[in-house]
Amino acid sequence: MRTLLRRSRRAVFALIGSAALALGGAVALPGTAQAANILSDPGFESGLSPWSCTGNLGSVVSSPVHGGSKALAGAVSSSDNAQCSQTVSVQPNTTYTLSGWVRGSYVYLGVNGGASTWTTSPSAYSQLSVSFTTGASQTSATIYVHGWYAQGTYYADDISLDGPGGGGGGSDTQAPTAPTGLTSTGKTSSSVSLQWNASTDNVGVTAYDIYRGSSQVLSVSGTSATVGGLSPSTGYTFTVKARDAAGNTSGASNSVTVTTDTGSGGGTGFKQAAPYLYEGWGDPPNPSTVMSATGIKWFTMAFVLDSGGCTPAWDGSRPLTGGADQSAINQIRSAGGDIVPSFGGWQGSKLGANCSSASALAGALQKVIDAYSLKAIDMDIENSDEFENEAVQARILTALKTVKANNPGLKTIVTFGTSTTGPTYYGNRLIEQAQSLGANIDVFTIMPFDFGGGSDMYGNTVNAAEGLKAKLKSTFGWDDATAYAHIGISGMNGLSDQQENTTPAIWTQIRDWANSHHIARLAFWAVNRDRPCAGGGVVSNCSGISQNNWQFTSITAGFTG
């Protein structure tokens, strides 16, 4: 039986430590190339360009500096680590040494997709250094420096990448090929989502610039983007150009003209009140009884796991069809409702971690989609095997992109833990990978509980959701309305694993906030626990507090988005 502690959270500094261990440390490599700093403006004496900083949080300051008269300041927030990066041309199969002087709490220096290192030097500059060897066909590298969430402003100066430049040090004048196949993959009243085919370049494409008419409105590293801040019922024409590390820009792609939807606000048009129902635990209630008593229509059915060989099964052991889970689903649908299955969770053998590839995982998801003719699926990404594994994150997102393309109209949801101020390192990484891969996720659902302390569950939940909104805005270029319309909240009714208490009154406040901000999804763990047992503690079949039967479900049924 799955224990209640399926969603335990680690303290933020434990997470910092584990991330640092995963990322940090120099790599012992043979033979460095002839030393020559190939970075532009390594000491920030000429301003910020060509450095690019997330969230526009980087600036050039005159104090404190390590050398010269200027340095970089990264204004870290609770939802953005103020990463500043620069892409340069490099030679394949060549060893490079990256070094720099940094100051601040938890400052990182590294290369995308490769080695990194970090230090804490709050009151004085200290030097970081790390080496890496380029791949057999690698012609560009993106180096970065960043701080840590909510740890205050960091400073960096005199950053050096020693080694030969691309093309043996010669000047690159060849522009990338123009992107092809530009198309719109979705729209709202205030945003348009775009996707295109990758360009090619002799040293590698580093960015794609999106144009609305003649104005550049966004720059991304992947082959998809969402342009926000648009007006309802308005036609817009978009093109895309590719850019390489030397600043060479391609010709424009084909143009695409899209008319935004009518109405106000952005998002996917998807609104769902769907508390968790678990047939393998906690005296499962009769779903039709709950529906009749509360008016709820949707349930999130937990959990689809791997029964071996990348084969989906309820809880990894109950049959996909023909068992108790299908019986519950039949009851729900007979009463006019529907379900979204949740894949994963805190423990058990998970498909995301155990399927060998994104295509294999997509095949497993498709079996469940076909079995129940689903309208939506939820990937509950937790623990170190999925959430804290960036390769598995990418596998899951790629599989979701595949099934979304193969099942028109299917909505995809990812659910993950959070801090009281928004996504943690791995939550931010999940969102960034979703953007980079063009996964087109409909709803990013946070689980605002098991924070490790804190009694203000309403305030903590709202702050966490606002932190998520800020991250979605900075990553996808969305406006407020569009970002809110891609947010989900999945709470825990009554007592959480760490004795946090979400009362019916607090849950009503959270529901009302969710409605007033027009988010996409509201859920809680779990209907099985939506029964009173004042002083009962944290158990599987009641909330541990005084309440009415199905009171949290009734409150949730009032979510309209």
Side-chain angles (χ1 to χ4, degrees), residues 317-557:
S317 59
R318 300 190 303 278
L320 187 59
T321 58
D325 301 88
Q326 180 163 32
S327 177
I329 293 170
N330 292 345
Q331 287 185 47
I332 292 166
R333 288 179 165 173
S334 294
D338 211 340
I339 66 104
V340 52
S342 184
F343 295 78
W346 178 253
Q347 63 185 32
S349 182
K350 303 170 194 175
L351 291 163
N354 292 320
C355 292
S356 60
S357 65
S359 60
L361 176 57
L365 301 181
Q366 190 66 51
K367 290 179 182 178
V368 186
I369 294 167
D370 292 341
Y372 293 108
S373 300
L374 296 172
K375 299 180 179 70
I377 59 173
D378 169 53
M379 299 296 294
D380 190 335
I381 307 172
E382 302 193 48
N383 217 322
S384 58
D385 55 349
E386 289 191 328
F387 187 56
E388 296 178 13
N389 186 317
E390 294 178 13
V392 174
Q393 282 191 6
R395 183 185 306 159
I396 291 171
L397 292 167
T398 303
L400 289 174
K401 178 179 179 180
T402 300
V403 297
K404 192 174 179 69
N406 292 338
N407 300 271
L410 181 76
K411 303 300 183 182
T412 53
I413 305 162
V414 292
T415 300
F416 52 98
T418 183
S419 75
T420 57
T421 55
T424 61
Y425 170 84
Y426 287 105
N428 282 299
R429 190 69 183 91
L430 179 72
I431 293 166
E432 291 161 5
Q433 291 208 85
Q435 187 278 330
S436 177
L437 293 168
N440 197 18
I441 299 300
D442 293 289
V443 186
F444 295 86
T445 301
I446 51 170
M447 296 184 288
F449 57 89
D450 288 352
F451 292 122
S455 58
D456 182 8
M457 293 305 287
Y458 171 73
N460 287 341
T461 297
V462 168
N463 289 338
E466 290 288 357
L468 173 60
K469 181 209 71 172
K471 180 61 180 177
L472 294 178
K473 286 182 64 179
S474 65
T475 301
F476 292 98
W478 291 336
D479 59 11
D480 281 353
T482 305
Y484 280 127
H486 285 81
I487 286 176
I489 291 174
S490 181
M492 189 167 180
N493 56 311
L495 295 181
S496 74
D497 304 312
Q498 298 184 11
Q499 301 293 310
E500 301 152 333
N501 187 5
T502 300
T503 65
I506 291 172
W507 189 241
T508 300
Q509 283 184 289
I510 293 169
R511 189 272 318 272
D512 291 346
W513 182 91
N515 278 336
S516 67
H517 288 76
H518 310 298
I519 74 168
R521 183 169 184 254
L522 188 65
F524 69 88
W525 178 261
V527 177
N528 305 62
R529 303 180 63 246
D530 196 9
R531 295 174 274 211
C533 58
V538 184
V539 293
S540 64
N541 61 357
C542 60
S543 64
I545 65 172
S546 177
Q547 64 159 93
N548 298 326
N549 279 335
W550 324 127
Q551 189 170 1
F552 285 87
T553 307
S554 295
I555 295 166
T556 306

Side-chain angles (χ1 to χ4, degrees), residues 14-309:
L15 180 59
I16 289 171
S18 65
L21 288 173
L23 296 172
V27 179
L29 296 167
T32 58
Q34 181 178 357
N37 189 0
I38 61 175
L39 294 178
S40 298
D41 196 18
F44 306 94
E45 300 298 316
S46 301
L48 197 58
S49 180
W51 297 87
S52 176
C53 301
T54 59
N56 295 318
L57 296 175
S59 63
V60 174
V61 296
S62 56
S63 178
V65 301
H66 172 261
S69 61
K70 298 291 192 297
L72 169 70
V76 171
S77 70
S78 61
S79 59
D80 196 317
N81 62 10
Q83 176 171 299
C84 295
S85 61
Q86 181 181 150
T87 302
V88 295
S89 299
V90 294
Q91 294 186 18
N93 292 321
T94 303
T95 299
Y96 290 81
T97 299
L98 173 64
S99 64
W101 292 85
V102 299
R103 171 175 171 171
S105 297
Y106 300 96
V107 188
Y108 293 76
L109 181 70
V111 58
N112 277 2
S116 67
T117 185
W118 67 285
T119 188
T120 57
S121 51
S123 59
Y125 275 98
S126 64
Q127 188 175 33
L128 293 174
S129 182
V130 64
S131 296
F132 64 93
T133 298
T134 54
S137 59
Q138 184 176 352
T139 55
S140 67
T142 300
I143 66 95
Y144 63 81
V145 59
H146 67 72
W148 196 260
Y149 306 96
Q151 295 300 304
T153 298
Y154 73 87
Y155 301 92
D157 201 0
D158 299 327
I159 300 176
S160 174
L161 181 63
D162 291 335
S171 176
D172 173 32
T173 59
Q174 180 175 325
T177 61
T180 60
L182 177 65
T183 186
S184 172
T185 58
K187 60 177 181 173
T188 70
S189 60
S190 62
S191 68
V192 171
S193 295
L194 302 169
Q195 188 169 313
W196 56 92
N197 298 323
S199 299
T200 59
D201 185 69
N202 62 317
V203 297
V205 173
T206 58
Y208 292 93
D209 299 325
I210 296 89
Y211 288 81
R212 186 179 67 210
S214 60
S215 301
Q216 182 182 336
V217 292
L218 199 61
S219 183
V220 298
S221 58
T223 56
S224 65
T226 297
V227 180
L230 308 180
S231 300
S233 304
T234 304
Y236 294 93
T237 299
F238 299 95
T239 54
V240 178
K241 296 180 181 180
R243 180 161 41 89
D244 65 17
N248 300 307
T249 301
S250 75
S253 68
N254 60 293
S255 63
V256 60
T257 300
V258 183
T259 300
T260 51
D261 292 339
T262 59
S264 60
T268 64
F270 180 65
K271 304 295 180 182
Q272 185 188 80
Y276 281 82
L277 179 64
Y278 189 11
E279 290 299 309
W281 167 93
D283 300 333
N286 183 298
S288 59
T289 299
V290 177
M291 294 174 74
S292 176
T294 66
I296 200 73
K297 293 296 184 183
W298 281 79
F299 293 92
T300 304
M301 297 286 291
F303 287 97
V304 179
L305 296 174
D306 181 24
S307 63

